[in-house]
Amino acid sequence: VLLDSDHPGLPISSVSMDNRGLAYNAVLQLSSLGEVGHLASRIPTGNFIARGIGYWEAVLAMHLSWEDDLIFHVTPSLTGACEDVLQLLDQGRRVPKAFFADNDVIAIGAMRALMQRGYRIPQDVQIIGVDNTLLSQISTPALSTTQISRVDLGENAIQLLLRQMAAQQRSTMHIRTGTFLILRDSTLQSPA
């Protein structure tokens, strides 16, 4: 049983977070602002790709603006995201009212860049990340983010493994564990 990732083309069962759902819910939370950008990782991991799909599903379902310039492709590190966003801003890139970021590190790097260029978080731009890292809790402003229960993830993996061992067969299953939003200072609104 593969944990925290899945490979649907391979005969391997998996338990992972619902990446599409968490992105969808984050965009839903921000949708009242009219346009939501995506701080997307330049490195296309399976989790990031699924989050991108969830972002697009939400944008289309909620009839939000979907121009390509709302997608900021950035390096998935604090320094890299900050430098990439600074470069995009200096090139005159339009800044949406809100961003969904592929993870907390990207979100915090982008917040740093935006604030260096005079944007106020959350008054001018609101941001939601993914992972509920310690950095999200101590950043200024504190980052709104999504969290998965690692206990639920582990319990689902153990239950699936035990079920497969008891059945003595190689049927594959893909379980996606839900996430929930933690709203902090990088967003102004209450839960949708």
Side-chain angles (χ1 to χ4, degrees), residues 1 16 46 62 65 74 91 97-98 104 140 161 166 173 190:
V1 174
S16 62
M62 292 172 234
S65 296
V74 300
Q91 292 170 356
K97 299 283 184 189
D104 290 349
T140 303
L161 184 60
M173 295 180 81
S190 59

Side-chain angles (χ1 to χ4, degrees), residues 21-149:
L22 70 84
Y24 190 100
N25 289 332
V27 173
L28 174 63
Q29 175 66 35
L30 298 167
S31 65
S32 66
L33 300 170
E35 60 181 10
V36 180
H38 183 193
L39 292 161
S41 171
R42 286 181 194 229
I43 299 173
T45 68
N47 287 347
F48 292 154
I49 291 168
R51 292 171 193 170
I53 292 168
Y55 165 83
W56 282 111
E57 288 172 340
V59 165
L60 294 173
M62 292 172 234
H63 308 288
L64 300 174
S65 296
W66 53 273
E67 291 84 13
D68 285 340
D69 68 344
L70 294 176
I71 311 301
F72 285 39
H73 294 280
V74 300
T75 305
S77 69
L78 281 172
T79 304
C82 182
E83 290 172 357
D84 291 345
V85 171
L86 284 170
Q87 184 177 26
L88 291 167
L89 294 174
D90 291 346
Q91 292 170 356
R93 191 71 171 268
R94 179 171 64 102
V95 177
K97 299 283 184 189
F99 279 108
F100 163 69
D102 276 346
N103 66 22
D104 290 349
V105 169
I106 290 172
I108 294 166
M111 283 194 317
R112 182 183 300 163
L114 288 162
M115 289 187 296
Q116 285 180 24
R117 292 300 182 260
Y119 291 91
R120 298 170 301 151
I121 311 290
Q123 296 86 347
D124 300 326
V125 181
Q126 297 185 35
I127 299 179
I128 294 177
V130 175
D131 290 329
N132 192 30
T133 61
L134 178 59
L135 285 175
S136 71
Q137 299 168 44
I138 64 172
S139 67
T140 303
L143 178 66
S144 293
T145 187
T146 59
Q147 175 161 336
I148 185 168
S149 168

